[in-house]
Amino acid sequence: MKKLIALLLVLVMTCGLVPAALAVNEDVEGKVVVYTSIYQFVIDMMSAELKAEFPNLEVEFFYGGTGSLQTKLTGEMETGTLGCDMMLVAEPAYSLELKEGGWLHQFEVENAESILRFPYDEEGYWYPVRVCNMVLAYNPELYTPDQLPKTFKEFAEDPSLKGLISMGNPLTSGTTMAAVAALSDKYGYEYFDALGANDVMIESGSVALGKLETGECKAVMILEESVLKERKEKGSKIACIYPEDGVILIPSTAMIVAEEKSANMNTEACEAVANWLLSEAGQKLILEGYMYSVFAGMKEVPYDSVDTDGLIEKDMGVDWVRCYTQREEIRTEFQERVTVD
């Protein structure tokens, strides 16, 4: 009798009278193009996770630095339609600009007020999904703490560091742009004069880290995640200095393009992807990418890092409205005073 019942169940399921279980988010379909400044290795992890989560959705990433993405988008805006459906950019200032220009789609993240520990647009046009941390870094195998700057101010002004410091380019990097906006807000444009007088080198994070290894640089201004990645994946001894005048936390935002102005007019799928990024699974991936989670109450931190709440207490803060409305002025002042080619 038991064998007969089992056989009947198999026949019923085979005939389709009992539907098979649906795959996770199988109903999310079509294509979504995402412009992003996230590191390629994070994009690769994200692509694999999204494919598993949304098996019938094609998610295509286009990577570029913030400056190059802004240039690309400016050109596309002239046509009235963007080449993407979503954006994951470095900082909120550009989100403010796109919202004001009417380029964004409004959407809701459930319980945003209770789950997010960083600011978001209360009208629902952008939300932070990851947090970067601008710090200083050095090589403890070559220099001792008493030979190094303890603050961002000392980094720019200490004559013993002349020609031995490096940082990114705010003309192309959104996170560096946010950092120099915060530092010029705190210390005035004289901070740029000090950087220029101290012969700061303007170069990529990978080049700067290489110069720390060789001793060509004593200290560099860099994203913490770049240091953590080197420490874990390459066994590097390079270490972070968390400046006493404040770290610079940079929430990076997710935005959805207004449907009529988007590449694939698939805002429903975009909302599903955005909400996944703000799920536990999505935030775990952010931590694996050496960045901080935006979740309130998240105790886990990136590899070999420090407590998020403690960093928030030490955050110098960025005036995102100034970073947007005075972007060209800040860039011009930096370029002229620091001499960026």
Side-chain angles (χ1 to χ4, degrees):
M1 181 61 71
K2 289 181 179 179
K3 289 182 179 180
L4 179 60
I5 291 172
L7 179 60
L8 287 171
L9 285 172
V10 170
L11 289 171
V12 168
M13 293 182 70
T14 303
C15 293
L17 297 179
V18 177
L22 290 174
V24 177
N25 291 317
E26 192 177 64
D27 57 331
V28 180
E29 302 176 332
K31 182 176 180 178
V32 167
V33 175
V34 185
Y35 286 179
T36 184
S37 57
I38 294 176
Y39 292 125
Q40 187 61 50
F41 81 95
V42 181
I43 292 174
D44 294 341
M45 291 193 299
M46 197 174 288
S47 295
E49 293 286 342
L50 287 170
K51 187 61 181 175
E53 187 73 18
F54 304 103
N56 294 324
L57 178 66
E58 180 186 355
V59 182
E60 178 183 319
F61 287 92
F62 179 88
Y63 169 79
T66 297
S68 63
L69 288 179
Q70 288 174 347
T71 300
K72 180 177 177 61
L73 287 163
T74 298
E76 293 174 351
M77 285 173 184
E78 295 179 3
T79 70
T81 302
L82 302 185
C84 63
D85 305 284
M86 290 187 70
M87 286 171 272
L88 302 176
V89 298
E91 37 79 16
Y94 195 47
S95 301
L96 297 177
E97 179 177 348
L98 292 171
K99 175 188 174 182
E100 185 176 287
W103 292 97
L104 301 183
H105 168 74
Q106 187 177 28
F107 66 104
E108 182 179 353
V109 169
E110 190 174 353
N111 300 320
E113 184 177 349
S114 59
I115 68 171
L116 299 177
R117 72 170 104 189
F118 290 90
Y120 62 94
D121 183 64
E122 293 186 359
E123 294 181 82
Y125 287 98
W126 56 267
Y127 297 88
V129 295
R130 59 189 173 112
V131 180
C132 303
N133 181 22
M134 191 67 75
V135 296
L136 301 176
Y138 74 105
N139 187 343
E141 293 185 316
L142 298 177
Y143 298 102
T144 58
D146 62 305
Q147 298 173 296
L148 299 162
K150 295 180 175 60
T151 64
F152 280 117
K153 194 170 190 295
E154 289 179 7
F155 174 79
E157 296 180 354
D158 185 347
S160 72
L161 299 172
K162 186 170 183 176
L164 297 170
I165 55 176
S166 172
M167 64 180 291
N169 188 347
L171 279 62
T172 57
S173 165
T175 49
T176 304
M177 175 62 201
V180 300
L183 289 163
S184 63
D185 206 20
K186 187 177 181 70
Y187 296 118
Y189 287 132
E190 291 78 13
Y191 187 82
F192 298 167
D193 291 327
L195 287 171
N198 234 8
D199 293 339
V200 65
M201 291 174 274
I202 307 299
E203 52 204 0
S204 69
S206 59
V207 171
L209 287 171
K211 289 185 176 181
L212 283 184
E213 295 283 4
T214 61
E216 293 175 77
C217 279
K218 289 178 70 173
V220 302
M221 184 190 303
I222 195 168
L223 289 176
E224 181 190 20
E225 62 211 53
S226 299
V227 178
L228 302 182
K229 187 175 187 292
E230 288 287 303
R231 290 176 64 85
K232 182 175 183 181
E233 298 181 13
K234 298 182 180 179
S236 172
K237 300 299 183 183
I238 299 299
C240 291
I241 300 169
Y242 298 91
E244 293 176 2
D245 51 356
V247 297
I248 304 173
L249 295 180
I250 306 165
S252 300
T253 61
M255 299 169 285
I256 298 174
V257 180
E259 187 151 26
E260 69 279 7
K261 298 178 181 180
S262 66
N264 295 288
M265 294 188 291
N266 196 359
T267 53
E268 185 177 346
C270 291
E271 288 188 20
V273 172
N275 277 283
W276 178 82
L277 286 168
L278 287 170
S279 70
E280 185 174 346
Q283 290 299 292
K284 292 282 188 182
L285 184 145
I286 294 301
L287 291 169
E288 289 179 29
Y290 307 100
M291 296 167 286
Y292 291 88
S293 168
V294 299
F295 275 3
M298 172 67 81
K299 297 302 181 185
E300 290 183 59
V301 297
Y303 169 82
D304 209 19
S305 187
V306 296
D307 175 64
T308 311
D309 290 331
L311 287 177
I312 292 173
E313 291 177 4
K314 298 174 182 176
D315 184 20
M316 185 181 297
V318 181
D319 183 340
W320 297 114
V321 174
R322 175 176 178 259
C323 197
Y324 153 40
T325 59
Q326 297 182 37
R327 180 188 300 126
E328 292 311 313
E329 176 188 310
I330 295 168
R331 284 175 170 172
T332 299
E333 292 288 345
F334 185 90
Q335 190 169 15
E336 290 179 352
R337 295 167 187 255
V338 181
T339 313
V340 180
D341 295 329

